[in-house]
Amino acid sequence: MPLALLALAIGAFGIGATEFVIMGLLPEVAETFSVSIPTAGYLATGYALGVVIGAPVLAVAGAKVSRKRMLMALMGLFIAGNALSAAAPVFALMLAGRVIASLAHGAFFGIGAIVAAGLVAPHKRAGAISLMFTGLTVANVIGVPLGTWLGQQVSWRATFAVIAGVGVIALAGVAALVPHRVGEPAGGGAPVPAPAGGLRSELAALRDPQVLLAMAMTVLGFGGVFAAITYLAPMMTGAAGYAPGSVTWLLLLFGAGMVIGNLVGGRYADRALLPMLYVSLGGLAVLLALFTATAHHKAGAALTLLLIGGFGFATVAPLQKRVLDHAAQAPTLASAVNIGAFNLGNALAAWLGGLVIAGGLGDTAPNVVGAAMTTAALGLAVVAATLERRSAVVRFSPAPPSTVRTGG
């Protein structure tokens, strides 16, 4: 494994920790600022929306900056946002810190995915992307449970201070290990793709129907997971009957599923990308629907949560690779925007989940929202495959026989 992938994974770990740890700390944060749980949920929604906005804006702003320097600048922004969250005296500043940190998220993963793909041979690129995202999944196995425990035992402020420290380590790793120039990757891999025609080509890639379909699948697919997970703490304590302290190990189960699903999704996406999406999205839709029932039973809730993490994150590397495949000549903006699409889905799901809870439909109602979103993503995958087959038929159809008559 090229050491540059380790640097990217450390950055992904920090980002994953700050994105997901808030789910286990919503009750503590709500109590500190004297706000309701749905209001505290804006810390998840605001983060997700910040990713959506920051991904394309910072990708375009950094178009003329080397990818290494851009990754370093993004980690600096991440550190500043988490430090503000840790010190915030009022809810509004806490929310501002979350948004500042989130601005780095989409562009870091978008640019990082391109660099990761360029560090290895073409037939291993989905696997390399999944290795970078392993930092994000390991954050859910180690970082999020420990951060939740620290927040419950000491203070949620201490959690965000530690995450800012992880950002400092990631910044040093990027500075030391990521290649300086495009086309000269560490470890002797394939050249890192360079934009073919500047901003105009980057924008043109976003008009490709297959790129747009992949992004729509991203919004709806993993967004379905977020509908359930954003409100995991109140769901598990209210419906399943777990004690608040049990949320830590439940998040550990979810994170373990994410690690497994991420590695499996990356491995099989290099072999059969669309079939991998059919399996992961279809299984996820069924699991989210079942979670409305299994969430009322401790053992059933724990098992379902593990499987949701696995099937949910098995979609990430395939969807990111599909975008890169169809925007190969100008990947930077498309890659970053697709990371924003993950978080657009997260924001939409968190908002819809809060609406159904506030509407009195119960703690498990967000699972229905998630199942509906993921089912729609599966439908889009079928549409994308159908269009791809039709395009292939047209492209390779033989020319009609000549109708010119010869004399006789």
Side-chain angles (χ1 to χ4, degrees), residues 227-228 231 234-239 295-296 356-357 360-367:
Y231 301 98
M235 190 187 305
M236 292 298 93
T237 56
H296 292 280
V356 295
I357 291 176
L361 298 179
D363 291 331
T364 63
N367 299 324

Side-chain angles (χ1 to χ4, degrees), residues 41-62:
Y42 290 149
L43 295 172
T45 305
Y47 185 97
L49 290 175
V51 177
V52 174
I53 296 168
V57 170
L58 291 179
V60 170

Side-chain angles (χ1 to χ4, degrees), residues 54-261:
V57 170
L58 291 179
V60 170
K64 295 185 179 180
V65 180
S66 74
R67 286 174 176 145
K68 175 172 181 171
R69 290 184 183 275
M70 194 62 191
L71 290 172
M72 292 173 63
L74 292 168
M75 285 313 312
L77 195 62
F78 170 82
I79 294 165
N82 280 286
L84 178 58
S85 292
V90 295
F91 182 77
L93 282 178
M94 171 72 172
L95 181 58
R98 293 283 293 167
V99 172
I100 290 171
S102 73
L103 294 175
H105 182 129
F108 184 90
F109 277 116
I111 295 170
I114 296 170
V115 174
L119 294 170
V120 296
H123 66 281
K124 295 182 178 180
R125 283 178 173 170
I129 293 170
S130 75
L131 284 175
M132 181 190 72
F133 277 99
T134 295
L136 179 62
T137 58
V138 170
N140 283 273
V141 176
I142 300 174
V144 172
L146 285 179
T148 301
W149 177 84
L150 181 63
Q152 291 175 342
Q153 300 299 317
V154 181
S155 168
W156 59 264
R157 296 183 187 278
T159 298
F160 285 99
V162 169
I163 291 172
V166 172
V168 173
I169 296 172
L171 175 58
V174 170
L177 300 174
V178 170
H180 280 281
R181 292 193 297 173
V182 171
E184 295 183 6
V192 179
L199 181 58
R200 182 174 297 179
S201 294
E202 297 282 349
L203 292 173
L206 296 180
R207 295 196 294 268
D208 186 301
Q210 289 290 354
V211 171
L212 295 176
L213 280 168
M215 290 179 178
M217 284 185 264
T218 296
V219 170
L220 296 169
F222 195 71
V225 175
F226 228 74
I229 301 306
T230 298
Y231 301 98
L232 180 66
M235 190 187 305
M236 292 298 93
T237 56
Y242 280 108
S246 298
V247 174
T248 298
W249 71 262
L250 288 168
L251 287 170
L252 179 63
L253 269 180
F254 175 69
M258 290 176 69
V259 172
I260 296 168

Side-chain angles (χ1 to χ4, degrees), residues 236 240 287 289-305:
M236 292 298 93
L287 286 165
L290 288 174
F291 203 25
T292 59
T294 59
H296 292 280
H297 308 279
K298 288 185 178 180
L303 177 59
T304 308
L305 193 60

